Amino acid sequence: MGQFSVSVYSLTQPTPPAQPEVIERDAPIYFDSPEESVCPVCGAEEGNCDEHLVACYDVFDGQVVGGSMYSVSSDLENKLEAILTMAITHGIRQIGLGEALDDLLGSMRQDVTGGESIEDSLCNWSSHTRRQLFDLLLDQTEVICTMTDFDGGMPGCSTTYRNYWAEDTEAASETLTTRIATVEAWLQGLSSTERKSDPDGSNLSDGDVLRAHEDRLGISVDENDPMLPAVIAMERALMNMARKKQS
């Protein structure tokens, strides 16, 4: 089988769509009370400016409670969950939506390897997924995030809002929607190619077999391990046994 080098191993992962250039940002602007909260675009009091609010995210209950993207947030969240599902199903580790979502994908892969269904894992991480969806807006230079504490004068009902602002909220929404749609189409294309070229999984590459082995056991194999060819051969044998049993 020959030596299975790190460079060859890395090439077994499809290249995701290009990510935006990383933007160096300060921590979100923080206001202590609603009275001090203003729109960072026009300076109007936060509660009086709907024109520049892209999304308002309630940190404590994980809900989107306002902003121009409120009506499309559920659809975008569903698309993001579909992306994570396809990535787990096909052993993809990087999806082109930034390190935070790649880390989330890694946590979900561990859940599934441990015996959970993908649906249960998505449910467990739903609030985190929603937060990451809106934090993708911060990859856009024109989007600003502020944080506001709020209790409405009712003890025990305090929360924190993360507010995402932009001068052109429609353009910010369209940029995020297009980015997610691009990744979704990329993964759907990979799925279609896999089904066409390898319908029963019998011709998987060494890299695919190794990822399946790692996912099944919940481990990470050293790509320089001299026993790696034997590990891949064993995993192929187990796959063949499983297929024969199913047939």
Side-chain angles (χ1 to χ4, degrees), residues 22-224:
V22 176
I23 300 167
E24 295 294 334
R25 292 183 180 273
D26 295 328
I29 303 167
Y30 188 81
F31 297 108
D32 291 328
S33 71
E35 288 74 23
E36 298 175 13
S37 304
V38 297
C39 168
V41 178
C42 67
E45 289 188 7
E46 182 179 293
N48 296 326
C49 183
D50 294 328
E51 180 182 359
H52 300 124
L53 183 61
V54 184
C56 178
Y57 178 80
D58 188 325
V59 173
F60 286 175
D61 68 8
Q63 299 297 318
V64 181
V65 296
S68 62
M69 289 187 63
Y70 177 79
S71 61
V72 299
S73 62
S74 293
D75 181 55
L76 288 179
E77 186 178 349
N78 289 338
K79 287 181 179 296
L80 186 55
E81 290 183 348
I83 286 171
L84 292 169
T85 298
M86 285 187 285
I88 293 172
T89 301
H90 298 289
I92 306 300
R93 301 187 180 194
Q94 294 181 323
I95 54 178
L97 292 174
E99 290 184 8
L101 274 163
D102 287 341
D103 290 343
L104 172 60
L105 175 61
S107 297
M108 290 182 60
R109 289 175 67 247
Q110 289 181 0
D111 290 346
V112 173
T113 300
E116 285 192 18
S117 66
I118 296 178
E119 292 76 12
D120 286 343
S121 183
L122 283 170
C123 183
N124 293 340
W125 292 96
S126 60
S127 294
H128 193 66
T129 304
R130 195 174 299 122
R131 160 72 180 278
Q132 292 300 328
L133 168 66
F134 285 97
D135 274 1
L136 285 174
L137 287 166
L138 297 180
D139 288 338
Q140 303 176 39
T141 56
E142 71 275 15
V143 178
I144 303 170
C145 179
T146 65
M147 292 181 65
T148 307
D149 279 346
F150 178 73
D151 63 14
M154 297 178 288
C157 297
S158 62
T159 188
T160 298
Y161 294 142
R162 288 181 68 94
N163 300 302
Y164 301 86
W165 307 88
E167 185 171 355
D168 188 338
T169 59
E170 184 176 343
S173 174
E174 185 174 331
T175 299
L176 177 59
T177 300
T178 300
R179 186 179 178 192
I180 289 175
T182 299
V183 174
E184 184 181 31
W186 170 69
L187 285 168
Q188 288 173 340
L190 290 178
S191 301
S192 176
T193 301
E194 284 184 9
R195 286 193 296 268
K196 184 180 296 185
S197 63
D198 191 19
D200 63 356
S202 59
N203 297 314
L204 292 175
S205 68
D206 285 352
D208 290 328
V209 173
L210 179 58
R211 287 195 298 275
H213 174 80
E214 291 180 326
D215 288 345
R216 183 171 62 82
L217 298 181
I219 62 173
S220 180
V221 176
D222 181 1
E223 292 87 354
N224 292 315

